[in-house]
Each structure stands twice: as structure tokens, then as C-alpha cells.
Amino acid sequence: MWTKQYNSQNRQPKMRNKIFLPEWTPCDAILMALPNEETDWNYILTQAWAQYREIIEKITRCGIKIVLLCRDVKEAEKVLEGINQNNIFFVETDFNDTWTRDYGPLTILKHGDLRVLDFGFNAWGLKFAADKDNLINRTLNRKSVITKGIYRNESAFILEGGSVDTDGEGTILTTTKCLCSPNRNGGLSKTEATEKLKQHLGAEHVLMLDYGALIGDDTDSHIDTLARMAHENTIVFTGCRNIEDPQFEELLKMRAQLSMFRNIHGEPFNLVELPLPDPVFDDEANRLPATYANYLVTDRYVFMPTYNQPDNDRLAMQTIRIPFPDHEIIGIDCRALLWQHGSLHCATMQLPKGVLAI
């Protein structure tokens, strides 16, 4: 069955032959990777394990399965002792880091058939080692975790999952700084990057933010830290109301550009502003990239990162009900994830229905 979208002139359904599935598509499972002593989590491994336990426990409690990459299954089972492991499928393999959002597979429908796309990953523009992470999707396919015949090797194009977001209707939201990075695909122009998204993901309308950045973010402004697409022609974005905050001007420019964006029909978006968390610092007084935009959506739940900031956390969870009124909002304290400069969305990747063979 082909996916339909509305024609921008007469709003009549038209057939589309390729679509990048939105995050709220019903999923088989969430892909995660458990920290181990060989990863950058080794200096706070106990805290990291506690963090991942909480995330996994809250997701599986909702009846959602976890595909968990781990270096050693017995170690992983011990770390997760006390959690109902019936909804956890362990995949023993090695990896450099645990940010499955960026090296996990992206899923499209092509002529109504699922395709799992394995893009190249070079650790956010050659910043870190990525040789093992870049093999994960091939490993999942080789181990028959992924349904036979739907895997596609797209590794010639460097693309991270956290750098693109979609409404599932042909529009993709991304950032210039990331997609046009010289260390990813040799420095594509905006036009060239747009054509790549059309070619690989079936984009018909690409919105590329030129502004927006968080202090401490080493992804080159991933869209999932800044602005997210949602139901009913809505974009949820990270705001900043404190004029003294060094991020104020950049995020203000981003907001202005968002207000100028138009959807595939030429209409403005409904903009929903998330609060900016109060500054969070590491032990060396470096600011960490805390953001509420790094939430995970499924067809029934929104898993929201919180940062032990009761007023901000409460406001963020209330705000996300605006674009997702029928979803249950579940907060997860993600302060430990910040220590490796990520948050909840970065640590998870949804695998839509039909992707898993297990």
C-alpha cells in the first residue's frame, strides 16, 4: 500500500513512492547500547548503568521492546537485574559509543515496502573513533535481527539520525551546520544536501536552519537538540528567554527563521516553544548541552528528558502535551547522559513495525 500525502494545490491525496517514516510510527522496538568499560563512560560507569537502567525500565514498562547492544550478555543481564527482561533482546557486539540515534538505521517506505537504510557514520565529522559504530547496522542484518531483504547499504552518504527530523508527509527539518559540514560529505552546498535528502529519504520539502546551537554540543547543531516536527503542522523548538544567556541571540535568530518557514502547502507552522533548562556544568565548569527537545516519541508515549529542575521540567512536560495531546508523557531524569554531551533521544533509535525479524 502506497503512502499518501496531500497535493499542495488542491489538497487531494496523491500517491508517494518513498517516505521517511516519522518517529511516532508504531514501532517494533527501541535500539539502545549499554555502556561498558571500553567506552567513554568508563570513568562514571556506575552512574551510566543506573541511567540506562532507568531508561530501559521506563520504556519496557510501557510494553515497548528494547534491542540492546552489549559487549557481554551476561554482564548486561547483571546490570539490568531486577528489571523484567522479557521485553529486552540482547545483541552481543562491540561498539565505540552508545549514541544509537546517530548510527542506528533510518527507515523508509518505498512503494509501500519497508527499507532499512544504513548510512555512513564518522562520529560527527571525524571527532572520535567510529569504526565499530559504523558496522552496527550490518551486524544487525548479518545476525538476522533485521527482517530479511529490507536492509540497504547507503554508507557512501554520511548521515546521522539526530540530524534529520520529519513530519512523515514529505518534509524534512535539518540544519546547515551539520548537513553541510566539510568533515561529513566534503562540504555539500545547501542545494546539494537537499538533493541528497530527496534521493535517499524521499524528501519533497527540506527546511534547513541556519541558526541554532547549544554550548557543549559536539554534533554541529543536530536538529534533535533544537527543533522537532510534530503532528498538525507543528514545530516544537528550544527557546531562550534569558537575555543574559550566551545562547540567547543564536536561539532568537533560530526562532525568527522558524517563523519564516512554510510547510509543503506554503502555510506557516504552528510553533511551540520549550523552555531552556537552567545551565548545567561538568566538574570543570564546562556547560553541558541540556535541552528538552531531545525527547523520544512513539505512537502512544513521549519520553521526556528532565534535569532535576522542577519548574522547568514541569513546564516542558506540560508544553509537550500541546502537540501530543493523546500521548502519555513520561519524564526520565537524564542528567547522567549530559556528562557525555547527549540526552534521551541521542541514546535511542526507534525501529518501526516490520523492521525486526525477532
Side-chain angles (χ1 to χ4, degrees), residues 1-4 16-22 25 106-117 200-202 352-353:
M1 178 178 176
W2 287 26
T3 302
K4 298 179 180 180
R16 302 182 62 239
N17 62 9
K18 187 184 292 185
I19 183 171
F20 178 25
L21 292 178
T25 299
L106 297 181
T107 309
I108 66 169
L109 281 178
K110 184 174 182 181
H111 299 298
D113 295 325
L114 280 174
R115 294 288 182 267
V116 167
L117 308 184
H200 292 279
L201 297 178
K353 285 285 186 186

Side-chain angles (χ1 to χ4, degrees), residues 39-170:
T39 65
D40 288 343
W41 294 101
N42 58 0
Y43 72 108
I44 52 167
L45 191 56
T46 300
Q47 297 97 310
W49 280 345
Q51 173 77 92
Y52 275 73
R53 275 181 58 92
E54 181 177 4
I55 296 171
I56 291 168
E57 192 276 333
K58 288 196 172 181
I59 291 176
T60 55
R61 188 194 297 172
C62 294
I64 301 171
K65 295 179 181 179
I66 297 287
V67 173
L68 187 64
L69 309 176
C70 55
R71 185 184 58 175
D72 181 84
V73 171
K74 290 184 178 180
E75 178 184 68
E77 290 175 337
K78 185 176 180 180
V79 169
L80 300 179
E81 191 173 2
I83 295 177
N84 185 343
Q85 298 183 15
N86 290 335
N87 279 336
I88 303 173
F89 183 82
F90 298 92
V91 178
E92 194 168 84
T93 188
D94 207 359
F95 43 86
N96 303 103
D97 215 331
T98 57
W99 306 119
T100 55
R101 173 63 48 183
D102 293 337
Y103 58 75
L106 297 181
T107 309
I108 66 169
L109 281 178
K110 184 174 182 181
H111 299 298
D113 295 325
L114 280 174
R115 294 288 182 267
V116 167
L117 308 184
D118 180 11
F119 291 103
F121 176 69
N122 70 355
W124 312 284
L126 305 173
K127 294 182 178 72
F128 308 100
D131 55 318
K132 299 171 185 175
D133 292 344
N134 203 35
L135 295 175
I136 288 299
N137 297 324
R138 272 171 274 187
T139 298
L140 293 175
N141 187 54
R142 177 174 54 82
K143 292 193 172 197
S144 299
V145 176
I146 293 174
T147 297
K148 184 177 180 180
I150 68 173
Y151 171 87
R152 296 293 183 273
N153 188 333
E154 306 279 352
S155 59
F157 181 42
I158 304 297
L159 184 70
E160 298 121 41
S163 70
V164 287
D165 203 27
T166 184
D167 60 357
E169 297 179 7

Side-chain angles (χ1 to χ4, degrees), residues 90 92 103 156 165 194 199 208 220 235 238 278 288 306 318:
F90 298 92
E92 194 168 84
Y103 58 75
D165 203 27
T194 295
Q199 173 188 344
M208 203 170 291
D220 300 317
I235 294 178
T238 299
D278 295 335
L288 300 172
T306 62
Q318 291 171 344

